[in-house]
Amino acid sequence: MRVGVIGLGSMGMGAARSLLRAGLEVTGCDPRPAAREEFIAAGGRAVASAGALPQGTEALVVLVVNAAQTEAALFGPEGALPRLASGAAVLSCATMAPDAARAIAAKLEQAGMLPLDAPVSGGAAKAREGAMTVMAAGGAAAFDKAAPVLEAIATKVWRLGEQPGIGATVKVVHQLLAGVHIAVAAEAMALGIRAGADPKALYDVVTSAAGNSWMFENRMARVLTGDDAPRSAVDIFVKDLGLVTEMARALAFPVPLAAQAQQLFTAAHAMGQGQKDDGFVIRVWQAMTGIALPGDEEAGDEK
């Protein structure tokens, strides 16, 4: 099967390499030369623009940041649509509003393609393992056509219905939880440090007790070592929690915890931390209280 992957970021690269391991013919697309070189070194093909994908591509995974990038990657002047085979499966994997997911799916259907509203979760590590979770909605024909792709990139594929938009809805709700969990994990760690607890001891206690969460265990481990290289950046949650509050506003539904978490990520962005790992939203508390973070050379150090 001839497959394209648009977006060779932390998750897209993992997905593309998982597809290669599955024996599929994979072309990655990314404007960054370093990303293309990495994928070529892994045995794949790589192009700089979606319009340069191989003619007759039978399945396409679009793992970019948002709906606007997805639209451009598919339908823009250098978009992938003319390169796709008739009846190709197109997996739209970016986190976006449900209305945007429905609009993209409708345009793909009109062009004779088989769309899947298919946001993903699992992070870079799960993507590299081919072990992502996919929250997918679409017709049976789309699932059938995409089956080799889904089998290669995921260990759990949720079939949430035939109508595009429900996959995006579930992912937005998921991001409410993910963003709030990261923010409260940072708040708890910062409070413990301010009160004089040893950060490593605090981490060990929490991760062995009922207050633990996957986000605390994963993100605060990086804070302990000062490793702020972005697997998922602060700016992702500025965007995604914005999608949460927008969806909730349209439903006249209050989301006070999501709104507060978004303000914390926005504050981190304003401090110049937008491209740092999202767990480093903890630097908001550092700026307010002067705490020294593990791995920083001194209190208030900004990387």
Side-chain angles (χ1 to χ4, degrees), residues 230-276:
R231 286 75 165 180
S232 173
V234 162
D235 281 348
I236 293 294
F237 279 96
V238 176
K239 171 186 74 78
D240 288 0
L241 288 169
L243 292 173
V244 172
T245 57
E246 289 166 13
M247 187 172 81
R249 187 180 303 113
L251 297 167
F253 189 92
V255 285
L257 297 180
Q260 184 61 51
Q262 187 194 20
Q263 289 300 302
L264 292 165
F265 284 103
T266 301
H269 170 87
M271 292 166 53
Q273 300 295 309
Q275 292 305 305
K276 303 299 185 183

Tab-separated table of all heavy atoms in Angstrom, residues 230-276:
chain	number	residue	atom	x	y	z
A	230	PRO	N	10.531	19.776	23.858
A	230	PRO	CA	9.092	19.556	23.702
A	230	PRO	C	8.732	18.239	23.042
A	230	PRO	O	9.048	18.000	21.884
A	230	PRO	CB	8.653	20.733	22.823
A	230	PRO	CG	9.869	21.071	22.027
A	230	PRO	CD	11.051	20.790	22.929
A	231	ARG	N	8.097	17.356	23.799
A	231	ARG	CA	7.398	16.213	23.197
A	231	ARG	C	5.989	16.678	22.830
A	231	ARG	O	5.466	16.347	21.785
A	231	ARG	CB	7.313	15.028	24.144
A	231	ARG	CG	8.614	14.253	24.353
A	231	ARG	CD	9.572	14.986	25.235
A	231	ARG	NE	10.664	14.147	25.728
A	231	ARG	CZ	11.608	14.618	26.527
A	231	ARG	NH1	11.599	15.896	26.923
A	231	ARG	NH2	12.559	13.832	26.946
A	232	SER	N	5.403	17.442	23.723
A	232	SER	CA	4.168	18.176	23.459
A	232	SER	C	4.374	19.542	24.095
A	232	SER	O	4.635	19.637	25.294
A	232	SER	CB	2.963	17.464	24.083
A	232	SER	OG	1.792	18.249	23.958
A	233	ALA	N	4.277	20.597	23.314
A	233	ALA	CA	4.683	21.916	23.779
A	233	ALA	C	3.568	22.633	24.521
A	233	ALA	O	2.375	22.350	24.346
A	233	ALA	CB	5.133	22.765	22.596
A	234	VAL	N	3.971	23.599	25.354
A	234	VAL	CA	3.027	24.472	26.050
A	234	VAL	C	1.990	25.036	25.087
A	234	VAL	O	0.782	25.069	25.369
A	234	VAL	CB	3.796	25.607	26.759
A	234	VAL	CG1	2.875	26.772	27.126
A	234	VAL	CG2	4.509	25.081	28.009
A	235	ASP	N	2.430	25.485	23.908
A	235	ASP	CA	1.507	26.117	22.963
A	235	ASP	C	0.425	25.166	22.459
A	235	ASP	O	-0.651	25.621	22.034
A	235	ASP	CB	2.279	26.693	21.775
A	235	ASP	CG	2.931	28.026	22.098
A	235	ASP	OD1	2.604	28.617	23.147
A	235	ASP	OD2	3.773	28.481	21.301
A	236	ILE	N	0.685	23.862	22.480
A	236	ILE	CA	-0.357	22.909	22.092
A	236	ILE	C	-1.561	23.046	23.017
A	236	ILE	O	-2.717	23.002	22.571
A	236	ILE	CB	0.190	21.470	22.122
A	236	ILE	CG1	1.257	21.270	21.038
A	236	ILE	CG2	-0.939	20.450	21.973
A	236	ILE	CD1	0.740	21.362	19.625
A	237	PHE	N	-1.310	23.234	24.307
A	237	PHE	CA	-2.428	23.325	25.240
A	237	PHE	C	-3.034	24.714	25.301
A	237	PHE	O	-4.193	24.854	25.703
A	237	PHE	CB	-2.029	22.791	26.624
A	237	PHE	CG	-2.100	21.289	26.647
A	237	PHE	CD1	-0.973	20.523	26.435
A	237	PHE	CD2	-3.314	20.654	26.806
A	237	PHE	CE1	-1.050	19.142	26.410
A	237	PHE	CE2	-3.407	19.274	26.777
A	237	PHE	CZ	-2.276	18.515	26.588
A	238	VAL	N	-2.304	25.742	24.904
A	238	VAL	CA	-2.957	27.033	24.672
A	238	VAL	C	-4.036	26.844	23.613
A	238	VAL	O	-5.182	27.300	23.766
A	238	VAL	CB	-1.940	28.100	24.246
A	238	VAL	CG1	-2.650	29.407	23.914
A	238	VAL	CG2	-0.891	28.327	25.337
A	239	LYS	N	-3.683	26.139	22.547
A	239	LYS	CA	-4.636	25.885	21.449
A	239	LYS	C	-5.740	24.925	21.873
A	239	LYS	O	-6.938	25.210	21.706
A	239	LYS	CB	-3.897	25.315	20.242
A	239	LYS	CG	-4.810	24.809	19.122
A	239	LYS	CD	-4.032	24.131	18.018
A	239	LYS	CE	-3.517	22.752	18.371
A	239	LYS	NZ	-4.598	21.716	18.295
A	240	ASP	N	-5.368	23.771	22.414
A	240	ASP	CA	-6.357	22.717	22.653
A	240	ASP	C	-7.344	23.086	23.753
A	240	ASP	O	-8.538	22.772	23.654
A	240	ASP	CB	-5.661	21.399	22.981
A	240	ASP	CG	-4.998	20.777	21.770
A	240	ASP	OD1	-5.084	21.367	20.677
A	240	ASP	OD2	-4.381	19.706	21.913
A	241	LEU	N	-6.866	23.738	24.806
A	241	LEU	CA	-7.809	24.181	25.833
A	241	LEU	C	-8.681	25.322	25.310
A	241	LEU	O	-9.811	25.507	25.781
A	241	LEU	CB	-7.062	24.574	27.101
A	241	LEU	CG	-6.475	23.374	27.863
A	241	LEU	CD1	-5.519	23.836	28.950
A	241	LEU	CD2	-7.571	22.497	28.459
A	242	GLY	N	-8.173	26.061	24.324
A	242	GLY	CA	-9.036	27.023	23.637
A	242	GLY	C	-10.168	26.323	22.902
A	242	GLY	O	-11.316	26.796	22.899
A	243	LEU	N	-9.877	25.179	22.270
A	243	LEU	CA	-10.936	24.401	21.624
A	243	LEU	C	-11.964	23.912	22.642
A	243	LEU	O	-13.166	23.888	22.358
A	243	LEU	CB	-10.330	23.209	20.884
A	243	LEU	CG	-9.468	23.523	19.666
A	243	LEU	CD1	-8.798	22.257	19.144
A	243	LEU	CD2	-10.289	24.174	18.562
A	244	VAL	N	-11.479	23.528	23.823
A	244	VAL	CA	-12.398	23.091	24.884
A	244	VAL	C	-13.351	24.224	25.254
A	244	VAL	O	-14.581	24.034	25.306
A	244	VAL	CB	-11.616	22.629	26.128
A	244	VAL	CG1	-12.572	22.362	27.288
A	244	VAL	CG2	-10.796	21.383	25.829
A	245	THR	N	-12.801	25.398	25.530
A	245	THR	CA	-13.651	26.498	25.974
A	245	THR	C	-14.585	26.978	24.863
A	245	THR	O	-15.730	27.355	25.133
A	245	THR	CB	-12.797	27.663	26.502
A	245	THR	OG1	-11.878	28.107	25.493
A	245	THR	CG2	-12.012	27.244	27.738
A	246	GLU	N	-14.128	26.917	23.615
A	246	GLU	CA	-14.995	27.307	22.499
A	246	GLU	C	-16.156	26.330	22.343
A	246	GLU	O	-17.312	26.741	22.132
A	246	GLU	CB	-14.187	27.373	21.205
A	246	GLU	CG	-13.224	28.552	21.151
A	246	GLU	CD	-12.204	28.399	20.040
A	246	GLU	OE1	-12.393	27.511	19.166
A	246	GLU	OE2	-11.209	29.149	20.041
A	247	MET	N	-15.872	25.028	22.417
A	247	MET	CA	-16.938	24.039	22.303
A	247	MET	C	-17.934	24.177	23.453
A	247	MET	O	-19.148	24.118	23.261
A	247	MET	CB	-16.356	22.628	22.262
A	247	MET	CG	-17.376	21.540	21.964
A	247	MET	SD	-16.620	19.900	21.685
A	247	MET	CE	-16.367	19.366	23.390
A	248	ALA	N	-17.402	24.393	24.652
A	248	ALA	CA	-18.269	24.542	25.813
A	248	ALA	C	-19.125	25.798	25.708
A	248	ALA	O	-20.323	25.778	26.047
A	248	ALA	CB	-17.422	24.576	27.082
A	249	ARG	N	-18.543	26.890	25.229
A	249	ARG	CA	-19.297	28.137	25.089
A	249	ARG	C	-20.468	27.955	24.133
A	249	ARG	O	-21.576	28.431	24.382
A	249	ARG	CB	-18.380	29.261	24.602
A	249	ARG	CG	-19.029	30.637	24.586
A	249	ARG	CD	-18.066	31.702	24.103
A	249	ARG	NE	-16.863	31.742	24.918
A	249	ARG	CZ	-15.649	31.418	24.489
A	249	ARG	NH1	-15.467	31.017	23.236
A	249	ARG	NH2	-14.610	31.496	25.280
A	250	ALA	N	-20.238	27.242	23.035
A	250	ALA	CA	-21.308	27.007	22.066
A	250	ALA	C	-22.439	26.181	22.664
A	250	ALA	O	-23.588	26.269	22.208
A	250	ALA	CB	-20.743	26.307	20.837
A	251	LEU	N	-22.127	25.382	23.676
A	251	LEU	CA	-23.131	24.533	24.328
A	251	LEU	C	-23.673	25.163	25.609
A	251	LEU	O	-24.454	24.521	26.329
A	251	LEU	CB	-22.508	23.166	24.662
A	251	LEU	CG	-22.049	22.330	23.471
A	251	LEU	CD1	-21.185	21.172	23.937
A	251	LEU	CD2	-23.248	21.833	22.673
A	252	ALA	N	-23.254	26.392	25.919
A	252	ALA	CA	-23.618	27.052	27.177
A	252	ALA	C	-23.282	26.160	28.369
A	252	ALA	O	-24.075	25.975	29.291
A	252	ALA	CB	-25.099	27.438	27.189
A	253	PHE	N	-22.052	25.606	28.323
A	253	PHE	CA	-21.625	24.642	29.332
A	253	PHE	C	-20.390	25.195	30.048
A	253	PHE	O	-19.386	25.499	29.409
A	253	PHE	CB	-21.285	23.308	28.664
A	253	PHE	CG	-21.037	22.190	29.631
A	253	PHE	CD1	-22.072	21.360	30.019
A	253	PHE	CD2	-19.770	21.983	30.169
A	253	PHE	CE1	-21.862	20.332	30.916
A	253	PHE	CE2	-19.544	20.961	31.078
A	253	PHE	CZ	-20.595	20.125	31.458
A	254	PRO	N	-20.436	25.336	31.378
A	254	PRO	CA	-19.290	25.903	32.086
A	254	PRO	C	-18.133	24.914	32.214
A	254	PRO	O	-18.345	23.740	32.530
A	254	PRO	CB	-19.861	26.243	33.472
A	254	PRO	CG	-20.996	25.278	33.657
A	254	PRO	CD	-21.571	25.037	32.291
A	255	VAL	N	-16.917	25.390	31.959
A	255	VAL	CA	-15.702	24.570	32.122
A	255	VAL	C	-14.654	25.389	32.883
A	255	VAL	O	-13.603	25.740	32.334
A	255	VAL	CB	-15.153	24.079	30.757
A	255	VAL	CG1	-15.998	22.945	30.201
A	255	VAL	CG2	-15.068	25.230	29.745
A	256	PRO	N	-14.900	25.668	34.157
A	256	PRO	CA	-14.001	26.567	34.890
A	256	PRO	C	-12.589	26.019	35.055
A	256	PRO	O	-11.626	26.793	35.028
A	256	PRO	CB	-14.707	26.730	36.244
A	256	PRO	CG	-15.611	25.545	36.376
A	256	PRO	CD	-16.047	25.240	34.977
A	257	LEU	N	-12.439	24.714	35.236
A	257	LEU	CA	-11.091	24.171	35.420
A	257	LEU	C	-10.290	24.253	34.124
A	257	LEU	O	-9.099	24.587	34.126
A	257	LEU	CB	-11.176	22.729	35.908
A	257	LEU	CG	-11.842	22.528	37.275
A	257	LEU	CD1	-11.863	21.046	37.638
A	257	LEU	CD2	-11.139	23.332	38.349
A	258	ALA	N	-10.936	23.946	33.005
A	258	ALA	CA	-10.253	24.054	31.709
A	258	ALA	C	-9.863	25.495	31.425
A	258	ALA	O	-8.767	25.767	30.915
A	258	ALA	CB	-11.147	23.512	30.604
A	259	ALA	N	-10.757	26.434	31.740
A	259	ALA	CA	-10.469	27.844	31.487
A	259	ALA	C	-9.277	28.316	32.313
A	259	ALA	O	-8.405	29.046	31.817
A	259	ALA	CB	-11.701	28.684	31.790
A	260	GLN	N	-9.220	27.895	33.591
A	260	GLN	CA	-8.094	28.295	34.429
A	260	GLN	C	-6.785	27.679	33.927
A	260	GLN	O	-5.743	28.335	33.891
A	260	GLN	CB	-8.341	27.874	35.873
A	260	GLN	CG	-7.271	28.337	36.846
A	260	GLN	CD	-7.147	29.850	36.905
A	260	GLN	OE1	-8.133	30.551	37.071
A	260	GLN	NE2	-5.937	30.356	36.740
A	261	ALA	N	-6.842	26.405	33.535
A	261	ALA	CA	-5.638	25.765	33.010
A	261	ALA	C	-5.162	26.470	31.742
A	261	ALA	O	-3.946	26.670	31.551
A	261	ALA	CB	-5.909	24.290	32.731
A	262	GLN	N	-6.095	26.868	30.889
A	262	GLN	CA	-5.689	27.581	29.676
A	262	GLN	C	-4.966	28.878	30.013
A	262	GLN	O	-3.978	29.243	29.365
A	262	GLN	CB	-6.890	27.878	28.782
A	262	GLN	CG	-6.459	28.461	27.438
A	262	GLN	CD	-7.582	29.086	26.655
A	262	GLN	OE1	-8.620	29.441	27.220
A	262	GLN	NE2	-7.384	29.233	25.352
A	263	GLN	N	-5.431	29.581	31.049
A	263	GLN	CA	-4.764	30.822	31.442
A	263	GLN	C	-3.336	30.558	31.925
A	263	GLN	O	-2.428	31.362	31.664
A	263	GLN	CB	-5.574	31.515	32.538
A	263	GLN	CG	-6.881	32.117	32.040
A	263	GLN	CD	-6.656	33.157	30.959
A	263	GLN	OE1	-5.947	34.154	31.162
A	263	GLN	NE2	-7.226	32.941	29.789
A	264	LEU	N	-3.127	29.449	32.601
A	264	LEU	CA	-1.772	29.107	33.059
A	264	LEU	C	-0.847	28.809	31.882
A	264	LEU	O	0.299	29.271	31.850
A	264	LEU	CB	-1.838	27.920	34.016
A	264	LEU	CG	-2.520	28.231	35.359
A	264	LEU	CD1	-2.872	26.940	36.084
A	264	LEU	CD2	-1.633	29.118	36.225
A	265	PHE	N	-1.341	28.046	30.892
A	265	PHE	CA	-0.522	27.780	29.711
A	265	PHE	C	-0.283	29.068	28.917
A	265	PHE	O	0.801	29.276	28.363
A	265	PHE	CB	-1.181	26.715	28.834
A	265	PHE	CG	-1.035	25.320	29.372
A	265	PHE	CD1	-2.092	24.686	30.001
A	265	PHE	CD2	0.168	24.634	29.276
A	265	PHE	CE1	-1.960	23.405	30.517
A	265	PHE	CE2	0.320	23.355	29.789
A	265	PHE	CZ	-0.745	22.737	30.415
A	266	THR	N	-1.295	29.941	28.880
A	266	THR	CA	-1.127	31.225	28.201
A	266	THR	C	-0.072	32.067	28.908
A	266	THR	O	0.745	32.742	28.259
A	266	THR	CB	-2.466	31.975	28.142
A	266	THR	OG1	-3.428	31.173	27.429
A	266	THR	CG2	-2.324	33.312	27.441
A	267	ALA	N	-0.051	32.028	30.234
A	267	ALA	CA	0.973	32.751	30.983
A	267	ALA	C	2.360	32.209	30.665
A	267	ALA	O	3.321	32.976	30.486
A	267	ALA	CB	0.691	32.651	32.485
A	268	ALA	N	2.486	30.884	30.585
A	268	ALA	CA	3.781	30.295	30.226
A	268	ALA	C	4.208	30.740	28.832
A	268	ALA	O	5.385	31.043	28.590
A	268	ALA	CB	3.705	28.770	30.308
A	269	HIS	N	3.257	30.786	27.906
A	269	HIS	CA	3.557	31.286	26.556
A	269	HIS	C	4.059	32.721	26.613
A	269	HIS	O	5.054	33.085	25.960
A	269	HIS	CB	2.304	31.196	25.686
A	269	HIS	CG	2.442	31.895	24.370
A	269	HIS	ND1	2.964	31.283	23.252
A	269	HIS	CD2	2.145	33.173	24.004
A	269	HIS	CE1	2.986	32.153	22.249
A	269	HIS	NE2	2.491	33.302	22.677
A	270	ALA	N	3.391	33.562	27.406
A	270	ALA	CA	3.770	34.967	27.504
A	270	ALA	C	5.162	35.141	28.100
A	270	ALA	O	5.841	36.139	27.829
A	270	ALA	CB	2.744	35.725	28.352
A	271	MET	N	5.604	34.161	28.883
A	271	MET	CA	6.943	34.185	29.480
A	271	MET	C	8.016	33.695	28.510
A	271	MET	O	9.190	33.611	28.865
A	271	MET	CB	6.971	33.296	30.728
A	271	MET	CG	6.149	33.816	31.880
A	271	MET	SD	5.922	32.520	33.141
A	271	MET	CE	7.633	32.025	33.451
A	272	GLY	N	7.618	33.325	27.294
A	272	GLY	CA	8.577	32.821	26.323
A	272	GLY	C	8.783	31.326	26.390
A	272	GLY	O	9.747	30.801	25.814
A	273	GLN	N	7.862	30.606	27.052
A	273	GLN	CA	8.006	29.171	27.240
A	273	GLN	C	7.114	28.350	26.298
A	273	GLN	O	6.959	27.146	26.481
A	273	GLN	CB	7.650	28.815	28.691
A	273	GLN	CG	8.526	29.492	29.728
A	273	GLN	CD	9.973	29.029	29.656
A	273	GLN	OE1	10.261	27.842	29.657
A	273	GLN	NE2	10.895	29.982	29.585
A	274	GLY	N	6.539	28.992	25.300
A	274	GLY	CA	5.544	28.326	24.460
A	274	GLY	C	6.041	27.087	23.748
A	274	GLY	O	5.269	26.155	23.516
A	275	GLN	N	7.314	27.044	23.383
A	275	GLN	CA	7.861	25.891	22.659
A	275	GLN	C	8.589	24.911	23.577
A	275	GLN	O	9.222	23.976	23.088
A	275	GLN	CB	8.785	26.372	21.547
A	275	GLN	CG	8.050	27.096	20.426
A	275	GLN	CD	6.940	26.258	19.828
A	275	GLN	OE1	7.170	25.122	19.389
A	275	GLN	NE2	5.732	26.802	19.821
A	276	LYS	N	8.476	25.104	24.889
A	276	LYS	CA	9.038	24.152	25.840
A	276	LYS	C	8.039	23.040	26.112
A	276	LYS	O	6.848	23.155	25.831
A	276	LYS	CB	9.406	24.859	27.155
A	276	LYS	CG	10.376	26.009	26.995
A	276	LYS	CD	11.706	25.576	26.404
A	276	LYS	CE	12.707	26.733	26.369
A	276	LYS	NZ	13.983	26.337	25.739
